[in-house]
Amino acid sequence: MKNTVLIPTYRRPLDLSRCLLALQAQTKPVDQVIVVVRDTDTQTWEFLAQYSPHNLPLHTVTVSLPGVVAALNAGLAAVEGDIVSITDDDAAPHPDWLEKINTHFICDRRLGGVGGRDWIHQGKQLLDDSRQIVGKLQWFGRVIGNHHLGVGEPREVDILKGVNMSFRQEAIAQLRFDERMRGTGAQVHFEMAFTLALKRAGWKLIYDPQVAVDHYPAQRFDEDQRHNFNEIAFLNLVHNETLVLLENLPPLRRGVFLLWAILVGTRDSLGLVQWFRLLPSQGQLAGKKLWASLRGRWQGWQTHHKFKFNIIRSED
């Protein structure tokens, strides 16, 4: 099997250099590396102009639109391998990453996607907690991630994480990342839309903690600054989550999800119960998060409804 590695990058030349060095050290040599670069990203273009690939089959793709979705879709159009493995510029795959990925795909023809653990480095500290439940969508719409904490044997999951996910090209030949995802950079939950659509098409997804990358979360150059509250980023996150789940849950479960989301929610997408729980410690900030969450739910529903209406109208 031929392997393509796809890396979207933006203004992180030092991180990208570390990622490319890790790909050079793979026990199973990579057959194609696609780096997708924004046309305005002078820092990265300058780095690539003087970069010596050392037999790394490096191919660059230029994209003009902001956001990870446009970058990945542009990269997918250039894929030549049987397997495409996606990682971030601020990650460094372990030496046996591609070897373990290939083994999974060779052993199971029904397998459409493989994901693994991203070991998060926070400064000089390594986040080494552990969780058994990873990448699951509960029946009422709650999403459990934990990809960065997973332990145990390989198992079937519903969702993979963007920093460490690989796909059989045959499975995703007609699939692209959803351009309705909001945001100008990270576009949170883009991978959930992609992997749930793949699973809905009948392909199997597995998570193996041994398929690992080191992840050094780097600065983002958009409204989403990870740990600092930004109303637009918060609203975009909830909009994307709502849209994805409305389009991947059956009708009855959609109603249950919306009710649960408004009444309960999570720390990232507040409902009334979560707002009340956070109110003593966060005060007005909890109220801002609740308001942004409710607006995001409404706007996600509107996007979903508009898309359904357009499909019905086009079929008339």
Side-chain angles (χ1 to χ4, degrees):
M1 282 187 171
K2 290 186 177 181
N3 289 81
T4 294
V5 177
L6 175 54
I7 310 165
T9 189
Y10 183 60
R11 295 175 60 185
R12 295 172 175 172
L14 293 179
D15 293 289
L16 179 60
S17 176
R18 179 179 56 219
C19 183
L20 294 177
L21 283 172
L23 293 179
Q24 289 174 10
Q26 292 295 301
T27 55
K28 195 281 182 192
V30 59
D31 299 289
Q32 181 190 30
V33 178
I34 299 174
V35 178
V36 186
V37 189
R38 191 94 59 86
D39 54 359
T40 57
D41 185 0
T42 55
Q43 292 174 270
T44 301
W45 286 117
E46 289 173 0
F47 161 74
L48 290 171
Q50 55 80 40
Y51 178 73
S52 180
H54 298 295
N55 297 321
L56 197 66
L58 187 62
H59 178 70
T60 58
V61 171
T62 306
V63 65
S64 57
L65 295 174
V68 67
V69 167
L72 287 175
N73 284 340
L76 286 178
V79 168
E80 297 175 355
D82 305 298
I83 305 300
V84 54
S85 298
I86 298 173
T87 191
D88 291 346
D89 53 8
D90 60 357
H94 288 194
D96 58 359
W97 186 57
L98 289 178
E99 184 179 349
K100 289 183 180 297
I101 288 168
N102 265 36
T103 299
H104 281 298
F105 281 111
I106 291 170
C107 291
D108 190 348
R109 290 292 307 170
R110 299 171 302 149
L111 193 58
V114 173
R117 180 162 180 166
D118 60 310
W119 288 88
I120 293 183
H121 296 253
Q122 297 176 323
K124 295 183 178 180
Q125 285 190 319
L126 179 66
L127 198 61
D128 62 353
D129 204 349
S130 62
R131 297 288 188 277
Q132 290 289 338
I133 301 176
V134 174
K136 284 296 184 180
L137 174 60
Q138 295 182 292
W139 70 271
F140 55 90
R142 179 170 175 254
V143 177
I144 300 175
N146 292 337
H147 298 84
H148 63 301
L149 301 174
V151 294
E153 297 299 314
R155 64 271 204 182
E156 193 165 353
V157 295
D158 302 316
I159 299 160
L160 302 179
K161 186 175 180 180
V163 69
N164 187 2
M165 57 184 186
S166 301
F167 302 102
R168 192 185 298 275
Q169 178 65 5
E170 175 190 349
I172 65 168
Q174 307 302 319
L175 189 61
R176 289 297 180 264
F177 290 92
D178 194 337
E179 295 177 353
R180 296 169 299 165
M181 295 291 100
R182 289 189 180 176
T184 58
Q187 294 180 280
V188 179
H189 295 312
F190 76 92
E191 66 268 78
M192 181 165 69
F194 193 82
T195 51
L196 285 177
L198 186 60
K199 187 154 188 174
R200 198 170 68 243
W203 290 92
K204 180 180 174 184
L205 304 176
I206 67 161
Y207 171 88
D208 180 359
Q210 299 303 312
V211 176
V213 303
D214 287 311
H215 191 188
Y216 305 86
Q219 180 184 0
R220 288 175 173 171
F221 299 95
D222 65 346
E223 62 279 349
D224 187 349
Q225 294 301 304
R226 298 186 191 275
H227 304 299
N228 296 323
F229 174 74
N230 178 285
E231 184 177 0
I232 295 175
F234 207 89
L235 193 149
N236 289 342
L237 178 153
V238 181
H239 166 275
N240 294 348
E241 179 189 64
T242 305
L243 174 61
V244 172
L245 294 177
L246 287 178
E247 298 199 345
N248 286 280
L249 291 172
L252 180 59
R253 287 169 62 189
R254 284 181 213 151
V256 174
F257 158 66
L258 287 173
L259 185 62
W260 168 81
I262 293 169
L263 293 179
V264 183
T266 67
R267 290 184 65 92
D268 294 326
S269 307
L270 270 63
L272 293 172
V273 171
Q274 290 290 346
W275 165 75
F276 186 75
R277 188 174 70 85
L278 294 176
L279 187 60
S281 60
Q282 297 190 5
Q284 289 185 346
L285 179 59
K288 291 180 180 179
K289 289 181 178 179
L290 176 64
W291 178 234
S293 293
L294 294 176
R295 289 165 59 204
R297 296 294 184 202
W298 169 244
Q299 292 178 16
W301 183 88
Q302 285 182 309
T303 302
H304 167 70
H305 184 72
K306 179 181 179 181
F307 182 69
K308 283 183 61 180
F309 177 76
N310 288 340
I311 290 177
I312 293 171
R313 190 167 60 177
S314 66
E315 292 175 348
D316 289 343

